[in-house]
Amino acid sequence: MIKINNIKVLYVEDDELARENGIEFLQNHFDTIYEASDGLEALSLYKKYNPDIIITDIQMPKIDGLELISRIRKEDTKTQAIITSAYSTKEYLLKAVELHLVKYLIKPIKHEELLQSLQDCIDTLKSNNSNIIQICDNISFDTFNKTLTKDKELVKLRAKEILLLELLIKNQNRYVTYQEIENYVWADDVMSKDALKTLVRRLKAHFCCNSISNLSGVGYKIDV
């Protein structure tokens, strides 16, 4: 990722040393960076400067990172948000999905993971697309975090289910051929018709709507 001149980043971290290190890293890629040591200061900076990307820790004084993003989301769904935390509890993960976060990063954060998350933010800002794909009224898939949510509960997917769902969503509203599915989902292995039917049946079992359809002799598609 090269240095970006027209993107404003707000970095929120109450640990002074971690904040200094984070700012130093971000300066290699962004010209405009604001920093805050707690949620209230961050909220004030957000209202004043309208940043494009917010990176925030969860556990902070005054208001925590999830509450910060929750307040912002009441009027703004466009600003990209990345949460950092030392914890990966189910409660936090579910809240993260509701807030349409780009990524939930577990500390200690690897630079390559943060860079990829930032690139995802930039790509979304450029395309003006959301990473949350609504499959049915009560079911959505987060393409960045690869999580399926049903009735505000996380649905545990197997690896091949995630790959197939990703492929269908990337090519939504057209039929994805059997060969494409074999190449993407099975990679170097051989896909049998029975194995594919079983995989599709397992995936469809999570949905309450008939989103996935088959065209005999061609392949599968998903309508979202």
Side-chain angles (χ1 to χ4, degrees), residues 98-145:
E98 293 175 7
L99 295 176
H100 290 200
L101 300 181
V102 172
K103 200 69 177 178
Y104 185 109
L105 296 176
I106 304 299
K107 295 179 178 180
I109 299 169
K110 297 178 181 178
H111 284 173
E112 57 269 23
E113 290 180 341
L114 179 56
L115 278 178
Q116 182 58 58
S117 300
L118 288 166
Q119 187 62 61
D120 289 339
C121 290
I122 292 167
D123 291 343
T124 300
L125 287 167
K126 287 180 178 179
S127 64
N128 199 30
N129 290 329
S130 172
N131 57 300
I132 307 298
I133 305 298
Q134 201 72 32
I135 298 174
C136 305
D137 289 339
N138 63 332
I139 301 174
S140 61
F141 183 68
D142 184 333
T143 58
F144 289 162
N145 295 293

Side-chain angles (χ1 to χ4, degrees), residues 192-210:
S192 69
K193 289 184 178 180
D194 287 342
L196 176 57
K197 287 180 180 179
T198 299
L199 177 60
V200 172
R201 186 166 58 249
R202 284 205 312 260
L203 189 57
K204 291 173 73 172
H206 298 303
F207 304 154
C208 57
C209 52
N210 297 318

Side-chain angles (χ1 to χ4, degrees), residues 3 22-31 33:
K3 194 157 189 174
I23 293 296
E24 184 177 356
F25 173 76
L26 290 170
Q27 285 173 339
N28 294 321
H29 304 281
F30 301 93
D31 279 338
I33 304 167

Side-chain angles (χ1 to χ4, degrees), residues 139-182:
I139 301 174
S140 61
F141 183 68
D142 184 333
T143 58
F144 289 162
N145 295 293
K146 305 182 191 304
T147 52
L148 185 71
T149 307
K150 181 177 182 179
D151 294 324
K152 297 185 178 181
E153 290 288 337
L154 291 177
V155 177
K156 188 174 182 179
L157 295 178
R158 301 181 185 183
K160 280 187 170 61
E161 289 176 313
I162 293 174
L163 289 172
L164 178 58
L165 187 54
E166 276 186 316
L167 181 63
L168 293 177
I169 286 175
K170 286 178 183 177
N171 299 278
Q172 58 187 277
N173 303 321
R174 80 164 177 90
Y175 285 98
V176 181
T177 67
Y178 299 128
Q179 188 62 58
E180 288 176 291
I181 294 172
E182 181 174 13

